[in-house]
Amino acid sequence: MKTTLSVIKADVGSVAGHTKPHPRQLEMAEEKLKDAKKQRILKSFYVTHCGDDIELIMTHDRGVDDSEIHELAFKTFSEITEKVSKPMKLYGAGQDLLLDTFSGNIKGMGPGVAEMEFEERRSDPVAVFMADKTEPGAWNLPLFKMFADPFNTAGLIIDPALHEGFKYTILDVMKNRSVVLSCPEEMYDLLALIGEPSRYVIKQIHRKSDGLISAVASTTRLSLIAGRYVGKDDPVAIVRAQHGLPAMGEVLEAFAYPHLVAGWMRGSHYGPLMPVGLRHSMVSRFDGPPRVICLGFQVSNGELIGPEDLFDDVAFDESRRIANELAYHMRRQGPFMPHRLGPEEMEYTTLPGILKKLEGRFVQE
Ligand code: F6R
Ligand code: MG
Ligand code: MG
């Protein structure tokens, strides 16, 4: 029997700016999912938050893109918005709910989704990554390292089960089309694409030897849906680990160096992605710097066993220190690129308005 793991998230309002949800919002999410479990829609669930995003981590046996599961998430976020966020006048109430009528699939409606269906192995450790104040392309670099870089993942060389490599499905978010590239043979082509994370994002990774699904990531781009800046699409990803896949330590190692990602203040700045424990996921300085948390679970007959708060470890203290140092460097540049995003990325902010306003004042030199 197969198990489906669905992670669906949305920012439907937070306290004192874009910081973190109110406890009542999380309680309501718990209540809704508890009900769904009673009705046997869900097998197991865990509700948490990363920064201002509410994260619903759910298991069931209905497969990916199941309308009942998506509707459950949609109704949960809508009800939280109506019954908690709006009455409390929380900041950005209902922010990620771009549409208000559900029509079968929550994708494209604002919330972020990462789902995978798999036959449980004898033991199935999974890592759920959740980030705030950044975009899906932020996973490109660490997912490359985990499944294709032997300097990160020793198993690619040492373990015969990984040695053949992995296949990456890359989505071109501008043209809404995807391509599958095989590593290590097509590594340079892969890097040529995913090195441009605002456009090409890793959607799925499969083990080459047997097609085993190994990782999935959310790929929504809110600004492309709405045509204007409506908040960043703070992404989520699911990665399976161990026994013929990268070890959990190899999976986490990919975040040891806090690489620069797009997001941070007003979704318009590059900054380091800081790996933190849950208790430190709330952003503060300049609405950031961007954070990533990782909860580890065992999936056991559809039950979620755990979680372990995997970045809540002194071994990541140095990564956090480097992230803070990078944050200082970047902040000193204020509105100057490359702290501020380039023109293509600013297209969905107020910048086109400024250019339009000044249009008549430009004179030919
Ligand atoms: C970034 C983010 C925040 C807001 C910023 C301005 O993803 O959510 O940095 O963009 O706080 O928010 P508004 O325009 O709501 O005042
Ligand atoms: Mg917000
Ligand atoms: Mg957020």
Side-chain angles (χ1 to χ4, degrees):
M1 198 206 54
K2 288 185 171 179
T3 296
T4 312
L5 176 56
S6 300
V7 182
I8 307 186
K9 50 103 357 204
D11 173 352
V12 288
S14 42
V15 182
H18 295 277
T19 56
K20 65 191 273 192
H22 187 277
R24 185 67 201 113
Q25 291 174 295
L26 297 172
E27 272 166 34
M28 180 163 270
E30 287 268 348
E31 287 159 17
K32 295 289 290 177
L33 299 198
K34 209 183 249 172
D35 266 3
K37 190 177 168 185
K38 251 189 225 149
Q39 293 168 40
R40 297 182 186 277
I41 297 169
L42 293 182
K43 282 196 158 173
S44 183
F45 69 88
Y46 190 79
V47 172
T48 188
H49 75 97
C50 178
D52 58 5
D53 300 300
I54 297 176
E55 316 272 352
L56 311 178
I57 304 171
M58 305 172 282
T59 53
H60 52 95
D61 55 12
R62 294 157 185 267
V64 302
D65 285 325
D66 179 78
S67 69
E68 200 155 358
I69 298 296
H70 282 212
E71 189 169 17
L72 168 67
F74 181 75
K75 282 191 169 159
T76 302
F77 293 132
S78 307
E79 215 169 302
I80 294 171
T81 302
E82 295 309 319
K83 295 194 176 154
V84 186
S85 314
K86 285 185 180 170
M88 282 188 184
K89 291 175 73 175
L90 294 182
Y91 198 68
Q95 176 188 295
D96 284 356
L97 301 178
L98 302 181
L99 303 173
D100 44 35
T101 327
F102 182 76
S103 56
N105 196 307
I106 200 168
K107 278 187 197 154
M109 299 186 75
V113 185
E115 298 184 287
M116 59 159 78
E117 184 186 35
F118 53 88
E119 199 72 58
E120 285 180 23
R121 297 174 292 164
R122 191 153 53 90
S123 176
D124 226 307
V126 298
V128 179
F129 289 98
M130 296 156 268
D132 191 31
K133 303 296 183 267
T134 185
E135 61 178 15
W139 302 137
N140 282 8
L141 187 146
L143 285 175
F144 172 78
K145 281 187 165 180
M146 280 175 218
F147 291 93
D149 178 6
F151 282 77
N152 181 88
T153 298
L156 291 167
I157 299 197
I158 296 171
D159 183 345
L162 278 80
H163 203 75
E164 256 190 72
F166 291 84
K167 282 187 172 175
Y168 285 73
T169 306
I170 312 300
L171 177 74
D172 171 350
V173 294
M174 299 295 176
K175 293 201 166 163
N176 199 25
R177 56 182 190 168
S178 57
V179 59
V180 178
L181 292 170
S182 187
C183 264
E185 325 82 270
E186 298 182 294
M187 181 185 290
Y188 298 160
D189 291 343
L190 176 73
L191 286 169
L193 296 189
I194 64 172
E196 192 186 331
S198 57
R199 171 153 188 184
Y200 298 99
V201 301
I202 297 170
K203 193 178 165 192
Q204 292 187 332
I205 301 172
H206 291 86
R207 187 162 65 187
K208 218 188 312 176
S209 56
D210 57 0
L212 183 103
I213 182 131
S214 310
V216 294
S218 61
T219 51
T220 339
R221 281 205 61 186
L222 290 176
S223 56
L224 296 181
I225 302 170
R228 70 195 142 83
Y229 182 69
V230 280
K232 271 282 170 203
D233 329 87
D234 307 323
V236 288
I238 305 170
V239 178
R240 294 168 84 191
Q242 303 289 154
H243 195 70
L245 290 172
M248 192 56 88
E250 291 167 332
V251 168
L252 299 173
E253 175 67 7
F255 290 88
Y257 187 77
H259 66 299
L260 297 175
V261 297
W264 206 346
M265 174 56 75
R266 299 176 185 277
S268 307
H269 295 82
Y270 286 107
L273 185 62
M274 185 190 270
V276 290
L278 240 178
R279 67 206 157 101
H280 288 135
S281 80
M282 187 198 76
V283 297
S284 58
R285 184 181 180 194
F286 200 56
D287 286 358
R291 309 289 154 114
V292 55
I293 60 170
C294 177
L295 295 186
F297 295 92
Q298 288 295 135
V299 180
S300 170
N301 302 316
E303 285 293 312
L304 286 169
I305 312 292
E308 285 302 323
D309 188 357
L310 292 168
F311 285 138
D312 192 10
D313 177 0
V314 291
F316 282 95
D317 282 353
E318 187 62 6
S319 314
R320 295 187 268 269
R321 193 196 62 74
I322 296 170
N324 272 324
E325 197 176 300
L326 285 169
Y328 266 94
H329 280 295
M330 299 301 281
R331 281 302 303 127
R332 271 186 212 156
Q333 293 212 187
F336 287 82
M337 288 168 57
H339 181 26
R340 200 193 72 185
L341 303 188
E344 326 75 43
E345 284 289 283
M346 297 294 287
E347 198 183 319
Y348 295 99
T349 68
T350 49
L351 210 62
I354 295 177
L355 281 172
K356 205 169 161 196
K357 189 182 73 183
L358 296 179
E359 187 54 37
R361 291 169 55 188
F362 276 101
V363 289
Q364 202 61 50
E365 288 288 328

